[in-house]
Amino acid sequence: MASVYTLSVIAAWYLSNVCVILLNKYLLSNYGFRYPVFLTMMHMLMCALLSMAAHASGVVRKQAIKGRTHAIKIAVLAVVFVVSVVCGNISLRFIPVSFNQAIGAITPFFSALLSLLITRRKESTKTYITLVPIVLGIIIASKAEPQFHSVGFVTCLSAAFARALKGVLQGLLLTNDDEKLDSNNLLMYMSPVALFVLVASTIFMEPDAFGIFYQNCLNSSRFVFILTLNCILAFNVNLTNFLVTKCTSPLTLQVLGNAKGAVAVVASIIVFRNPVSSFAIVGYGITIAGLVTYSNANRRGKKAARL
């Protein structure tokens, strides 16, 4: 029964991840609701409401904030998290999901670079070598991408950088055992800060979004259904992320995440029928192979460090 539960959690995590990416792309590009900051704000609002409900119901054990310094650290992470999600959603306005996922695979490269610059933590030479095909694959895919867009490329690259920065800062700022929070508690405490930043950003960057959102809700029940489903899935990504880590391990989550990118690429091509050249496919393949190699090298490095 335990294995069935674990497989069910992994399947839910996969489905939520891929579906929320595809629905984001549909709303921001195909449907024409071109307000990525507002969409991120709605995601965060739903995440805040449902995470509080999960804690209130006792499904997730609540962890307390350990003072003012701890709260400031969480606020810093919230701002970086907002930047990563907003940039990722902006990129979906301009580039296909397949290309978005390929660029996002460069996150380990930024993680290794930022770890070296910020924490002075050095990886093994083999680990650094495995980052080469990841970058090479993205360069090939970018050159061969039929729907390449400079704004989409830069914002997606920025999202990958921000995700890597969040990971490094989380390890740096929340290193004390008393300060460590699971993903759901971290999300619950980050949500108010993230919501404040997102509301202010929406008012400044997308002032028409609120009116268009209201009109779309009045005119289309389909829009309301898709947006609500999208927001619920965004929360479910965070919930199942925590459950997968609990049932397996952080390393397994990383490996599954690498494979998830490949699934999202294929799903995007099938659903949106965006053109993909043979050279782009080669680039995607090289990047995915690099990610697998990187995961294995990283795992061996951690084992060697423990011995």
Side-chain angles (χ1 to χ4, degrees):
M1 287 297 292
S3 60
V4 174
Y5 174 74
T6 301
L7 289 174
S8 299
V9 169
I10 292 173
W13 181 71
Y14 256 78
L15 187 63
S16 300
N17 262 284
V18 175
C19 286
V20 78
I21 293 169
L22 295 179
L23 285 175
N24 283 347
K25 176 63 179 177
Y26 176 76
L27 286 169
L28 294 169
S29 182
N30 295 62
Y31 187 87
F33 186 74
R34 304 182 185 281
Y35 300 102
V37 182
F38 180 88
L39 181 62
T40 310
M41 182 190 73
M42 295 300 293
H43 286 176
M44 188 54 60
L45 177 62
M46 182 66 77
C47 286
L49 293 174
L50 292 181
S51 62
M52 286 189 289
H55 284 88
S57 65
V59 174
V60 178
R61 182 177 62 88
K62 186 175 181 179
Q63 297 171 284
I65 294 179
K66 308 295 183 179
R68 181 180 177 184
T69 303
H70 192 199
I72 293 173
K73 292 177 179 180
I74 294 172
V76 171
L77 291 175
V79 174
V80 177
F81 173 72
V82 166
V83 172
S84 70
V85 178
V86 169
C87 285
N89 284 339
I90 290 175
S91 73
L92 287 172
R93 275 194 56 188
F94 303 100
I95 59 176
V97 173
S98 53
F99 191 36
N100 171 281
Q101 291 297 292
I103 298 171
I106 202 173
T107 302
F109 170 80
F110 287 135
S111 296
L113 182 63
L114 289 170
S115 293
L116 182 62
L117 294 176
I118 297 175
T119 66
R120 303 297 180 186
R121 178 190 167 198
K122 292 183 178 180
E123 303 286 352
S124 66
T125 303
K126 289 182 179 180
T127 301
Y128 286 122
I129 291 174
T130 61
L131 295 172
V132 175
I134 296 175
V135 177
L136 178 62
I138 291 170
I139 292 173
I140 294 172
S142 301
K143 292 287 185 181
E145 174 55 48
Q147 297 182 359
F148 179 87
H149 194 287
S150 56
V151 174
F153 178 79
V154 170
T155 51
C156 193
L157 209 60
S158 300
F161 181 85
R163 279 195 299 271
L165 180 60
K166 177 182 175 291
V168 173
L169 289 178
Q170 188 166 329
L172 183 66
L173 298 178
L174 303 179
T175 52
N176 190 315
D177 287 339
D178 292 333
E179 293 182 342
K180 288 182 180 178
L181 301 171
D182 63 49
S183 59
N184 278 277
N185 276 279
L186 185 58
L187 178 65
M188 184 182 70
Y189 289 125
M190 283 169 54
S191 295
V193 179
L195 267 175
F196 175 79
V197 174
L198 285 166
V199 170
S201 299
T202 302
I203 293 172
F204 178 74
M205 299 172 64
E206 300 173 350
D208 297 335
F210 295 96
I212 299 297
F213 165 73
Y214 179 71
Q215 287 299 321
N216 281 351
C217 289
L218 290 179
N219 299 334
S220 174
S221 57
R222 182 187 179 193
F223 172 80
V224 176
F225 172 76
I226 292 174
L227 182 61
T228 303
L229 177 62
N230 191 23
C231 292
I232 293 173
L233 286 171
F235 168 76
N236 204 47
V237 167
N238 291 283
L239 178 62
T240 52
N241 179 288
F242 164 69
L243 293 175
V244 169
T245 305
K246 186 177 180 181
C247 293
T248 56
S249 68
L251 180 60
T252 302
L253 183 68
Q254 185 181 23
V255 174
L256 290 170
N258 296 340
K260 181 264 298 178
V263 174
V265 168
V266 175
S268 164
I269 295 171
I270 293 172
V271 173
F272 296 111
R273 301 186 183 279
N274 53 281
V276 181
S277 68
S278 56
F279 278 108
I281 293 174
V282 170
Y284 297 158
I286 292 173
T287 295
I288 292 169
L291 282 169
V292 174
T293 308
Y294 168 81
S295 296
N296 291 333
N298 200 25
R299 181 187 59 192
R300 294 193 194 99
K302 288 179 179 179
K303 281 186 176 180
R306 288 196 295 265
L307 295 176

